[in-house]
Amino acid sequence: MDYSYPKAAPYKVKIVEPLPHLSEAQRQEALIQAGYNVWRLRDDQVFIDLADAHGNGAMSQAQWAGLMIGDEAYAGSINFEHLQEAAQARFGKRYLVPTHAGRGAEHLVLLALSHDGQQVVGNAPSPTLLRLLERYGRTYRDLTDAASAFPGDVNLQALEALLQEAAEQIAYVVLHAAAWVQGGQPFSLANARAVAELARAYQKPLVLDATHVFTQALILQEQEADLKAHSVFAIVRALADLADVVYLSARGDLGCHVGGFILTNSEADYIRLRSLVVVFEGLHTYGGLAGRDIEAIAVALQEVSEDELRFHRGQLQALGHRLRALGYQVAEPVGMVGLSLDAAVRVEGEFAAHALAAALYLLAGVRGGPRGTHLHLALPRRVYTEHHLDYVVAALQALQTVPVPSLKLVEDHPLQRDALARFRPEGTFEATAWSPEVQPEPYRIKAIEPLVLTTRAQREAALREAGWNTFLLRSQDVYIDFLTDSGTSAMSSVQWAEMMRAAETLSYSAAYHRFVETIQEVYGFPYVLPTHQGRAAEHVLSQVLIRPGQYVANNMYFTTTREHQERAGGIFVDVIIDEAHDPAAHHPFKGNMDPEKLRDLIRRVGPEQVAYVCLELNVNMAGGQPVSLENVRTVAQLCREFGIPLIFDATRAAENAYFIKAREPGMQDRAIPDIFRELMSYADGITVSAKKDLLVNIGGFLAVRDAALYRRMEQFALRFEGHPADGGLARRDLVAMAQGAREMLDVNYLRSRIEQVAYLAAALRKAGVPIVEPPGGHAVFIDARRFLPHLPQDQFPAQRLAGEIYLAAGVRAMERGIVSAGRDPETGQHKYPRLELVRLTIPRRVYTQRHLDVAAEGILDVFARREQIGGLRMVFEPPVLRFFTARFEPMA
Ligand code: P61
């Protein structure tokens, strides 16, 4: 498949940041405090913030890593050298002067290149430059040719006339990539060339403000016929080559939070700039920036990607299009940084834009940026998802029927009226009690990880290399990774902050206590033993509780769970309801145990021969199917009746609790933590792989009610895991788990997680792809038996299908069928499970809806040519858990 890339974000989420949720009453209060000026709101009062994109982007993981390798030396740091190399490579200029921000660069250039009484000329300037000019008693001549096809062009006749008339009064000519009109507009390369020629003829330096030069180059590539074949970087270089001095704010296209720099090839200019930078900024090799920030800028320069620029631009254009369709007057063409709506169309009075912004905030918690007569909607880079933008559009739609009163100025700040003025409404902002249909993710993106796109030929080679086993693929060869939801979550900024705070000390550290106390509180068990992950907890539990020859009753099986039960000498028995084995059977709680099957087992072997009952919540192998609270009560009752311990595999218990709230009669009004606690109250002990529910990348634990049992487990774990106070984990992992245990019970988070799964399922179902119904909590399972009905099970249909999906779309899935089931230890034959499935597992908080669309499209591609797909032959088979490392070849 060839993507009309970038249909989906060319990155995935690495760190999320919780969004503040305020009630309408709280928003009303915040607005009053802010004098009805949304600029005066605190950002923790704003749900979705489109007021200003500058410096509000999400950095990449490599940039965050860069923050960690800041060389905090005063002079000549390694970070400075990195920045110099990166800037030289992009812009071809030799001398670099860092500055603390864009206005620092504007300031030094102004002082280096102009003197008293002189004028600066160019296209529409930044407000920061205008304020500086005013301070030095100098002026700006804005020669923007707004009527041109490129609204950032300079009017060449006007420039020539001015140079002819008063050359000595002109200090320099500046071109802003993103002229400050209509949300940032480009100039053409031809215009820049003509400006450069004029400047040269009159010996005036040409300065390029390159803050948005990469976006500008992208637009030129799209719109100038002779630039189509050129890369964005070649165009950037061509623009930079025209200029004597280049400067930028790193808060623009580079997506950094702070910083700027100036570049030149002129030694004389450099010497002038160097003697200014030490006065106003810092030393010439750090320019008022910490080494870490310099490093983040250097990384950004290296990482700039055309796909990302294109994706951001596409997001903005789509937003403009949708708002126009709603009847808003959106300035055309859409700007490089954002778009602007004419507020006068909706509201009366001089402060219409402020009034409209206040109404939008009150309605939906969305902040736009009122500037003059227009309301600007700027889109921070890589921060918001499609759902967030859907929500914004829905809010603006609802706003159209809300009456908006005019505002009256009650406190003026002439220098910065837009940002600082206070108002009083002439009328009332009425409460609307709007209930949006779109429920966006309750977090925004804090850090991203770039995605890798491959060609079909590369994927063919990679899959061959991996022996048609998706476990053996390198993640670098995978575009969208649906292998597992285990350890693949995006952690939150709060989890990271906790990790940084955790002290790595010996023995029962503060981190251990925080972890234990949180698990005690959330899960309600007095004794908690950390393990390095879930299977380690299963190892300990099985060894301590099972006497060889005893039975263990389970609801279906999980690979590692059964492995440990059998290694301990246990006899595995499946007592799940029959519906669970039928992918087409609809049952709201397909993970339920069949109490009759359980009772039969107990009757048959005797209660003392049942080591324990192991009840898995949101049964993984059945399709992520929940267990009802009612079923849990029944099973617990049975266990108590016969004195058999009841153990939960509580790995996905939070997600199970959500299904109970959503599906079980009488549960709709209960809070998730409440349901969760009741659920847990029926178990004598639990094993947990924290790599799922708890939103961490590593970790697990055991928790029990019985002190003596805990002692035995602790002794056993010491041998294999680590000190009982860390379970073989770093202390920081303990606090990340503790924080995750709180985040996992947030109903908004759970809803957005489980709706993602349902969304993918719906896309496949609509096209007729056979899936396990109803879709579960963590994955969509494709029924390979029905997808490839012509293949016998011993030709590994699910294994083949997982390979085909990877080939088609770069999407990695997992076989859950005959390969996973393994061989019968007695007969040595394949176990031939009834379910022959491919699992598309959705990591938590990592992908956006558009990624799911792209994945679905790839799967439909495979579905369309399913009849031509043949079987596989196993050419290598390891003795246990064979699915991890077995190898296959396509049959002739
Ligand atoms: C998974 F292919 N699950 O779903 P550990 N219980 C349950 C799990 O889902 C689980 C563990 C215990 C994985 C990882 C995985 O055959 C496989 O922390 C209900 O992974 O040790 C793990 O927890 C074990 C994938 C494990 C497999 C075994 O992707």
Side-chain angles (χ1 to χ4, degrees):
M1 186 164 88
D2 241 2
Y3 304 107
S4 50
Y5 206 53
K7 197 178 269 172
Y11 47 80
K12 59 180 173 179
V13 183
K14 189 69 176 190
I15 305 177
V16 301
E17 184 169 29
L19 284 173
H21 281 268
L22 272 70
S23 67
E24 179 155 347
Q26 287 170 316
R27 292 199 295 272
Q28 184 104 45
E29 181 53 32
L31 210 48
I32 292 168
Q33 295 298 325
Y36 292 90
N37 185 344
V38 295
W39 287 112
R40 303 185 72 115
L41 293 168
R42 295 195 322 247
D43 54 11
D44 62 359
Q45 296 171 325
V46 176
F47 182 49
I48 293 178
D49 202 346
L50 304 183
D52 190 359
H54 202 62
N56 299 331
M59 293 205 296
S60 71
Q61 57 177 9
Q63 286 182 284
W64 281 99
L67 295 189
M68 283 289 179
I69 49 177
D71 166 2
E72 313 300 351
Y74 197 86
S77 74
I78 185 88
N79 312 121
F80 174 72
E81 287 171 30
H82 287 169
L83 181 60
Q84 234 178 352
E85 284 159 27
Q88 162 112 38
R90 287 282 180 240
F91 297 103
K93 303 255 186 263
R94 174 149 172 234
Y95 299 108
L96 179 134
V97 177
T99 59
H100 80 280
R103 73 189 68 186
E106 288 177 317
H107 183 203
L108 302 192
V109 170
L110 178 66
L111 293 186
L113 300 185
S114 72
H115 56 73
D116 280 350
Q118 276 192 316
Q119 237 183 7
V120 178
V121 306
N123 61 359
S126 62
T128 48
L129 179 57
L130 290 180
R131 282 196 290 265
L132 284 165
L133 283 158
E134 191 195 29
R135 154 73 181 82
Y136 288 107
R138 292 169 209 181
T139 53
Y140 195 85
R141 271 300 283 277
D142 179 353
L143 300 180
T144 312
D145 187 358
S148 161
F150 292 88
D153 276 355
V154 165
N155 182 325
L156 296 169
Q157 281 87 16
L159 178 62
E160 183 155 25
L162 188 67
L163 286 165
Q164 261 169 10
E165 255 165 54
E168 67 295 339
Q169 281 171 31
I170 309 280
Y172 58 89
V173 183
V174 57
L175 285 175
H176 297 85
W180 284 70
V181 282
Q182 288 176 33
Q185 295 293 337
F187 51 83
S188 67
L189 184 57
N191 188 255
R193 286 202 172 115
V195 169
E197 206 166 298
L198 279 171
R200 210 173 311 119
Y202 290 87
Q203 293 173 357
K204 300 297 173 192
L206 177 63
V207 176
L208 172 69
D209 176 343
T211 304
H212 296 287
V213 77
F214 295 98
T215 304
Q216 160 136 351
L218 180 80
I219 296 173
L220 299 187
Q221 185 198 52
E222 278 168 9
Q223 296 184 5
E224 291 203 61
D226 52 341
L227 294 180
K228 292 241 180 309
H230 291 77
S231 77
V232 161
F233 302 110
I235 299 169
V236 166
R237 186 58 185 273
L239 290 167
D241 283 348
L242 293 172
D244 302 289
V245 173
V246 173
Y247 66 74
L248 59 75
S249 163
R251 290 169 164 158
D253 279 354
L254 295 183
C256 296
H257 301 149
V258 71
F261 58 77
I262 308 167
L263 295 165
T264 179
N265 275 332
S266 150
E267 190 175 1
D269 285 345
Y270 173 60
I271 289 171
R272 244 174 288 152
L273 289 164
R274 203 172 56 181
S275 61
L276 287 163
V277 72
V278 294
V279 178
F280 293 104
E281 300 291 303
L283 189 64
H284 62 292
T285 53
Y286 78 80
L289 287 170
R292 62 173 174 272
D293 295 312
I294 296 179
E295 190 68 26
I297 300 171
V299 172
L301 277 170
Q302 288 163 344
E303 281 188 337
V304 181
S305 112
E306 283 197 26
D307 282 334
E308 248 190 69
L309 293 164
R310 203 164 282 128
F311 179 70
H312 181 257
R313 180 122 189 95
Q315 272 190 318
L316 258 178
Q317 280 174 324
L319 187 61
H321 183 75
R322 294 170 74 184
L323 296 185
R324 248 178 247 123
L326 290 179
Y328 281 95
Q329 294 253 327
V330 181
E332 186 80 85
V334 162
M336 289 154 66
V337 193
L339 41 90
S340 62
L341 315 177
D342 187 351
V345 179
R346 272 289 276 118
V347 192
E348 312 243 300
E350 192 184 348
F351 305 106
H354 278 85
L356 194 61
L360 177 61
Y361 171 71
L362 189 61
L363 179 83
V366 174
R367 171 159 70 177
R371 291 197 181 92
T373 54
H374 282 68
L375 179 64
H376 285 252
L377 300 177
L379 194 60
R381 290 178 180 278
R382 319 194 275 203
V383 170
Y384 293 114
T385 70
E386 299 88 60
H387 271 312
H388 292 124
L389 297 184
D390 289 346
Y391 176 86
V392 170
V393 171
L396 278 155
Q397 180 167 22
L399 188 64
Q400 291 198 311
T401 56
V402 174
V404 183
S406 312
L407 292 177
K408 196 171 150 57
L409 190 66
V410 294
E411 185 185 314
D412 201 3
H413 291 261
L415 243 185
Q416 266 196 287
R417 172 182 281 177
D418 280 343
L420 296 178
R422 286 177 175 277
F423 306 98
R424 183 162 44 73
E426 306 194 288
T428 43
F429 281 96
E430 276 160 33
T432 52
W434 176 56
S435 54
E437 263 173 37
V438 195
Q439 303 258 16
E441 294 86 348
Y443 51 82
R444 58 183 219 157
I445 304 171
K446 176 90 173 183
I448 61 99
E449 176 178 344
L451 291 175
V452 191
L453 221 73
T454 50
T455 62
R456 171 134 191 153
Q458 285 170 324
R459 295 195 290 274
E460 277 168 4
L463 192 63
R464 213 176 309 119
E465 185 75 15
W468 279 76
N469 185 341
T470 52
F471 278 105
L472 300 179
L473 285 168
R474 300 162 50 216
S475 68
Q476 278 302 295
D477 295 323
V478 173
Y479 170 37
I480 296 176
D481 205 343
F482 288 164
L483 184 71
T484 178
D485 64 331
S486 179
T488 52
S489 301
M491 288 208 296
S492 70
S493 50
V494 187
Q495 286 178 296
W496 277 99
E498 287 295 322
M499 295 224 296
M500 292 295 278
R501 260 169 39 141
E504 306 291 335
T505 58
L506 278 176
S507 183
Y508 293 88
S509 63
Y512 167 74
H513 285 288
R514 234 179 90 60
F515 167 69
V516 169
E517 283 156 21
T518 308
I519 300 301
Q520 285 170 339
E521 184 191 324
V522 173
Y523 286 81
F525 292 87
Y527 299 101
V528 183
L529 183 66
T531 59
H532 82 274
Q533 59 180 57
R535 69 197 69 185
E538 293 170 341
H539 178 208
V540 175
L541 181 92
S542 305
Q543 292 292 331
V544 171
L545 280 191
I546 300 173
R547 269 183 287 109
Q550 277 188 313
Y551 292 80
V552 188
N554 295 259
N555 48 345
M556 204 168 263
Y557 79 102
F558 190 72
T559 53
T560 56
T561 319
R562 184 170 69 191
E563 176 70 24
H564 282 296
Q565 291 171 5
E566 289 176 349
R567 273 174 186 263
I571 302 164
F572 168 92
V573 186
D574 176 11
V575 296
I576 201 165
I577 57 172
D578 288 340
E579 287 91 332
H581 290 283
D582 177 359
H586 276 268
H587 187 295
F589 293 100
K590 244 173 149 172
N592 282 354
M593 269 187 181
D594 184 332
E596 285 319 306
K597 288 187 191 170
L598 180 56
R599 197 178 275 280
D600 284 350
L601 172 74
I602 298 169
R603 214 177 284 133
R604 183 159 58 79
V605 304
E608 65 295 337
Q609 269 304 95
V610 180
Y612 57 93
V613 171
C614 178
L615 183 74
E616 182 190 339
L617 298 172
N618 257 26
V619 181
N620 191 348
M621 298 297 265
Q625 302 294 339
V627 179
S628 71
L629 200 52
E630 191 200 356
N631 188 250
V632 172
R633 288 183 189 132
T634 309
V635 170
Q637 176 61 38
L638 252 173
C639 287
R640 258 195 309 271
E641 185 184 327
F642 293 102
I644 300 169
L646 175 58
I647 303 294
F648 289 170
D649 180 340
T651 294
R652 294 181 182 84
E655 289 164 3
N656 198 121
Y658 180 83
F659 280 119
I660 289 174
K661 182 177 169 75
R663 292 185 184 165
E664 194 156 345
M667 293 293 151
Q668 280 64 39
D669 294 331
R670 286 181 69 181
I672 296 282
D674 177 39
I675 295 175
F676 189 82
R677 274 296 287 267
E678 184 189 335
L679 200 50
M680 289 302 129
S681 71
Y682 299 112
D684 298 297
I686 55 173
T687 60
V688 176
S689 167
K691 299 171 73 169
K692 286 81 168 175
D693 264 357
L694 286 91
L695 299 160
V696 292
N697 308 118
I698 196 70
F701 60 93
L702 272 158
V704 294
R705 300 194 193 282
D706 183 69
L709 179 59
Y710 170 75
R711 292 279 128 61
R712 284 164 63 207
M713 297 192 318
E714 184 189 48
Q715 287 308 305
F716 187 84
L718 188 57
R719 255 190 214 120
F720 297 95
E721 290 301 288
H723 190 282
D726 65 30
L729 293 163
R731 275 40 164 216
R732 64 178 168 278
D733 297 322
L734 298 175
V735 291
M737 280 197 280
Q739 175 60 26
R742 299 199 182 282
E743 294 179 15
M744 73 181 186
L745 295 180
D746 174 36
V747 67
N748 291 316
Y749 149 70
L750 283 170
R751 181 190 303 118
S752 91
R753 151 120 188 104
I754 285 166
E755 276 180 2
Q756 273 206 331
V757 177
Y759 178 85
L760 178 61
L764 297 179
R765 181 191 302 122
K766 204 171 77 195
V769 177
I771 57 171
V772 174
E773 296 286 5
H778 68 309
V780 177
F781 287 72
I782 301 179
D783 184 355
R785 269 184 203 278
R786 281 186 291 151
F787 197 111
L788 299 172
H790 53 286
L791 293 188
Q793 200 170 11
D794 60 6
Q795 290 183 20
F796 312 109
Q799 189 77 26
R800 177 73 193 232
L801 182 53
E804 292 292 334
I805 290 171
Y806 170 70
L807 289 180
V811 171
R812 171 156 68 175
M814 184 192 290
E815 193 265 8
R816 291 280 85 156
I818 185 166
V819 185
S820 296
R823 290 186 187 271
D824 188 315
E826 310 262 280
T827 66
Q829 295 301 305
H830 292 313
K831 272 183 182 148
Y832 293 99
R834 279 180 66 191
L835 295 181
E836 179 72 19
L837 308 176
V838 171
R839 187 180 77 169
L840 302 161
T841 337
I842 316 289
R844 295 169 186 77
R845 310 196 287 204
V846 170
Y847 292 107
T848 72
Q849 183 179 326
R850 206 79 91 230
H851 292 115
L852 305 182
D853 292 337
V854 171
E857 214 175 292
I859 293 162
L860 297 194
D861 245 34
V862 180
F863 192 54
R865 46 178 189 76
R866 57 190 179 279
E867 279 151 27
Q868 286 120 47
I869 295 172
L872 291 175
R873 179 178 33 240
M874 188 157 27
V875 294
F876 169 72
E877 181 174 359
V880 286
L881 300 180
R882 60 182 183 175
F883 52 90
F884 282 130
T885 52
R887 300 181 70 84
F888 304 83
E889 274 171 10
M891 295 181 32

